[in-house]
Amino acid sequence: MTGVSHSIVTFATLYVATQNVFIAGSAMLGSLFPDKSEGLFWQSSHRSYSHWFVLYVAAMACFWTPEALFVTGIQMWQTGILHMSRMFLFWFSAGALLHILEDAICGPVPFLYPNKRTMVLPRLFKTGSVGECLFVITYCAILYLSAGKL
Ligand SMILES: [Zn+2]
């Protein structure tokens, strides 16, 4: 999936789920991390360690707080920069985890081992194809219809 599609799908999903722009925005930035972190090694190590879900689940566990799911933007601001940073990193990691799920529907990703890619889910389209564009539009339409707003 392309970076634009990752951003749209992740932001839309978490905004509909939480109604919180800070959470959706943090996750959207996180959804770009797995591909961007590969940098110059993109061609030799695409979808390896940077796409291993275990790293992001561990990060989410480290940054978890009980109010992570329910905090409002104003409450977050009042609790201080350290707590706000922790919330950002939790949702940033959640966005990276969603990136892997989104990649899993358009190709192989690491599952049991970080350097061995496997087809975890059925391939719905090829990255950058018209099928991907149609998927993003359809997914957002379904979210819109099911949530009543976007
Ligand atoms: Zn990716």
Side-chain angles (χ1 to χ4, degrees):
M1 195 178 262
T2 62
V4 171
S5 296
H6 279 299
S7 297
I8 294 169
V9 168
T10 302
F11 187 91
T13 301
L14 283 170
Y15 186 73
V16 166
T18 66
Q19 301 292 304
N20 186 315
V21 172
F22 179 84
I23 288 172
S26 302
M28 184 187 81
L29 290 173
S31 77
L32 298 173
F33 181 76
D35 285 344
K36 294 291 181 192
S37 67
E38 292 172 343
L40 297 175
F41 305 103
W42 181 82
Q43 287 196 329
S44 62
S45 64
H46 184 51
R47 290 187 178 180
S48 62
Y49 286 91
S50 65
H51 285 62
W52 196 34
F53 74 97
V54 173
L55 301 175
Y56 303 108
V57 169
M60 288 175 70
C62 287
F63 300 121
W64 166 258
T65 63
E67 65 273 9
L69 300 176
F70 307 107
V71 71
T72 65
I74 292 172
Q75 290 169 332
M76 210 176 321
W77 187 252
Q78 291 170 339
T79 56
I81 193 72
L82 284 178
H83 184 262
M84 200 166 164
S85 299
R86 187 174 178 169
M87 295 295 290
F88 171 80
L89 291 170
F90 175 82
W91 288 108
F92 184 91
S93 302
L97 195 59
L98 274 176
H99 173 110
I100 296 165
L101 182 63
E102 293 157 7
D103 271 357
I105 59 170
C106 59
V109 292
F111 187 64
L112 294 178
Y113 304 102
N115 54 1
K116 185 176 183 213
R117 295 184 292 167
T118 181
M119 289 300 295
V120 178
L121 296 172
R123 184 180 217 166
L124 301 181
F125 50 82
K126 286 186 174 181
T127 299
S129 67
V130 173
E132 178 178 325
C133 187
L134 292 174
F135 171 82
V136 172
I137 292 169
T138 304
Y139 181 78
C140 289
I142 291 169
L143 279 181
Y144 176 77
L145 293 173
S146 64
K149 55 192 164 201
L150 236 175

